[in-house]
Amino acid sequence: MADANAISRVVMLGPPGSGKGTQAAFLSESLGVPAISTGDMLRQAVAAGSELGRKVEDIMASGALVDDDTMADVVRERLRQEDAVDGFLLDGYPRTLGQAETLEGILEDAGVQLDAVALIDVPEEELVRRALARKRADDKEDVIRERLRVYSEKTSPLIQHYRDLALLRPVNGHQSMEQVTSDLLSALGAAESGS
Ligand code: AMP
């Protein structure tokens, strides 16, 4: 039976290049809940050439955000699936205050609540350094800059929103990957076994 006190519904927040996706995959194992990446879902839709994929392809390529209504449909549908009923780690959603409200509505309808929001904090200069260092041929520098700008304009207000709701668990992301994982686990009250 699921432990009623366990942290099982988590949002991962952090700028592009913070290592959020990698950490979500690690945490998913430890917490035993699926990591749900809306970016991965949209990339799959693009690869499949579905109606959704055709709608979001150019928007994604520009570094801009897909509109909130489209994302609401994607996330509502995904959270209804069996594997997400007892918990999830959302990676890449919400990204706007409107999306945060939508998520609150979806969870309210399901009679559940968010347990925590893990924030991977990385200084801006470090993000730019990382982005340029790992730049792929298809990652244009202006698209990288646009993603960082969109994060700071549209997504970073979520930090204060979740702080106000007493859900925010900030972790220093300017450390080794292993250290970030371990800090995230303790911030979520799910310290690694043996420690
Ligand atoms: P990600 O892999 O999370 O960086 O997402 C890649 C791209 O998918 C983003 O730059 C957006 O264009 C789009 N995307 C993913 N999640 C969202 C979301 N929650 N809201 C709007 N657009 C999104």
Side-chain angles (χ1 to χ4, degrees), residues 20 37-40 42-43 59-60 63-66 71 91-95 99 147:
K20 188 163 49 75
S37 157
T38 47
D40 283 351
L42 296 178
R43 277 183 288 274
I59 300 170
M60 292 178 77
L65 293 184
V66 173
M71 293 311 300
D91 164 20
Y93 190 94
R95 262 175 151 98
Q99 292 183 7
R147 285 205 185 100

Side-chain angles (χ1 to χ4, degrees), residues 32-54:
V33 296
I36 297 176
S37 157
T38 47
D40 283 351
M41 291 174 72
L42 296 178
R43 277 183 288 274
Q44 280 161 19
V46 170
S50 68
E51 190 185 333
L52 172 66
R54 290 196 301 276

Side-chain angles (χ1 to χ4, degrees), residues 86-98:
D86 289 330
F88 53 77
L89 263 157
L90 273 176
D91 164 20
Y93 190 94
R95 262 175 151 98
T96 65
L97 284 169

Side-chain angles (χ1 to χ4, degrees), residues 36-39 41-42 52 68-81 84 88 90-95 99 102-104 106-107:
I36 297 176
S37 157
T38 47
M41 291 174 72
L42 296 178
L52 172 66
D68 286 357
D69 287 347
T70 300
M71 293 311 300
D73 292 343
V74 168
V75 167
R76 189 177 289 112
E77 172 78 24
R78 179 64 186 88
L79 290 183
R80 257 196 217 126
Q81 288 171 28
F88 53 77
L90 273 176
D91 164 20
Y93 190 94
R95 262 175 151 98
Q99 292 183 7
T102 298
L103 178 63
E104 278 147 34
I106 293 173
L107 297 181

Side-chain angles (χ1 to χ4, degrees), residues 7-157:
I7 296 261
S8 53
R9 295 184 181 85
V10 179
V11 162
M12 303 280 300
L13 213 53
S18 60
K20 188 163 49 75
T22 309
Q23 295 296 343
F26 286 141
L27 289 182
S28 159
E29 290 247 320
S30 305
L31 301 179
V33 296
I36 297 176
S37 157
T38 47
D40 283 351
M41 291 174 72
L42 296 178
R43 277 183 288 274
Q44 280 161 19
V46 170
S50 68
E51 190 185 333
L52 172 66
R54 290 196 301 276
K55 179 153 129 189
V56 303
E57 188 165 14
D58 291 349
I59 300 170
M60 292 178 77
S62 74
L65 293 184
V66 173
D67 68 277
D68 286 357
D69 287 347
T70 300
M71 293 311 300
D73 292 343
V74 168
V75 167
R76 189 177 289 112
E77 172 78 24
R78 179 64 186 88
L79 290 183
R80 257 196 217 126
Q81 288 171 28
E82 184 65 33
D83 66 332
V85 169
D86 289 330
F88 53 77
L89 263 157
L90 273 176
D91 164 20
Y93 190 94
R95 262 175 151 98
T96 65
L97 284 169
Q99 292 183 7
E101 280 166 23
T102 298
L103 178 63
E104 278 147 34
I106 293 173
L107 297 181
E108 206 175 292
D109 290 347
V112 297
Q113 285 182 337
L114 211 55
D115 296 314
V117 175
L119 170 67
I120 306 183
D121 226 347
V122 181
E124 172 100 31
E125 324 80 72
E126 170 64 11
L127 292 173
V128 173
R129 197 193 61 74
R130 288 185 191 181
L132 296 177
R134 66 168 196 190
K135 194 157 84 80
R136 300 188 305 251
D138 59 345
D139 266 355
K140 297 201 210 77
E141 196 174 325
D142 53 340
V143 173
I144 293 172
R145 285 191 197 287
E146 177 63 6
R147 285 205 185 100
L148 289 170
R149 191 193 66 74
V150 167
Y151 176 82
S152 105
E153 183 189 316
K154 306 240 170 83
T155 307
S156 69

